[in-house]
Amino acid sequence: MFTGIVEELGEIVAVERLTDAARLTIRGKLVTSDAAHGDSIAVNGVCLTVVDDVVVGDSFTVDVMAETLNRSSIGALDIGSRVNLERAAALNSRLGGHLVQGHVDGTGTVLARTPSENWEVVRVSLPAEIAKYVVEKGSITVDGTSLTVSGLGGSAADGDWFEVSLIPTTLALTTLGSAPAGTTVNLEVDVIAKYVERLQQRG
């Protein structure tokens, strides 16, 4: 479980593409400071497991199976790609964002960026199959970053979209700060909405 509060920007330093999987080595000084084999680290919002028996220096290695590659933007990462990193939440820490599982529900595309003096509004396409779980002023995770939905819209012709307003800290400390229009991002909706839907279906 994660909170969606990105701890640092990491960098992909090695990629091994396999038949139905990939192995990534990622540099992240903070998240490797106490990392060990089997630990969970969110990489752009995807919960991945450290596979090294010993974490070497400031880098760790993860295996990514085909299911994850097909459902997220992880498969498009290459050497030099910047990624958002967060260690699993500790039970004795504050929940600064919201409950994030690291299970990507779908991907969206950055449609537009509208800068203001003190923040920037980013519009992202919203897949139809998860649009029903997103509400204005609710939470959504974009590439592992917990954000508040500041606007919703769309049309039958153009599809659904949502907007988030990014403060300077988010712009500076996450990949969203430099993601241009056309960038694919991982989306995770609030899991509580999915549980409520399931309970209603079973009732």
Side-chain angles (χ1 to χ4, degrees), residues 65-191:
M65 59 183 168
E67 174 75 4
T68 303
L69 294 172
N70 293 335
R71 285 181 172 267
S72 73
S73 65
I74 293 291
L77 296 176
D78 210 338
I79 294 173
S81 295
R82 304 300 300 274
V83 290
N84 296 323
L85 300 176
E86 182 193 354
R87 291 169 291 186
L91 291 177
N92 63 348
S93 64
R94 293 183 176 88
L95 182 61
H98 72 284
L99 295 177
V100 176
Q101 295 182 298
H103 302 160
V104 172
D105 293 303
T107 58
T109 302
V110 176
L111 299 175
R113 304 182 68 102
T114 306
S116 185
E117 183 177 355
N118 296 305
W119 69 86
E120 189 163 347
V121 176
V122 178
R123 180 174 292 187
V124 180
S125 65
L126 185 59
E129 61 271 20
I130 63 173
K132 60 185 176 181
Y133 302 117
V134 181
V135 296
E136 192 168 350
K137 306 306 179 188
S139 296
I140 191 166
T141 308
V142 182
D143 269 356
T145 306
S146 173
L147 297 167
T148 299
V149 177
S150 58
L152 282 170
S155 65
D158 299 326
D160 297 303
W161 52 261
F162 69 94
E163 290 180 335
V164 289
S165 299
L166 307 183
I167 62 174
T169 297
T170 306
L171 292 169
L173 300 180
T174 74
T175 58
L176 294 175
S178 59
T183 299
T184 300
V185 291
N186 296 321
L187 304 176
E188 181 184 335
V189 299
D190 192 339
V191 67

Side-chain angles (χ1 to χ4, degrees), residues 13 20 27 39 44 50 74 80 84 87 121 182 189:
V13 295
D20 58 352
R27 180 182 294 122
D39 284 353
N44 276 1
V50 177
I74 293 291
N84 296 323
R87 291 169 291 186
V121 176
V189 299

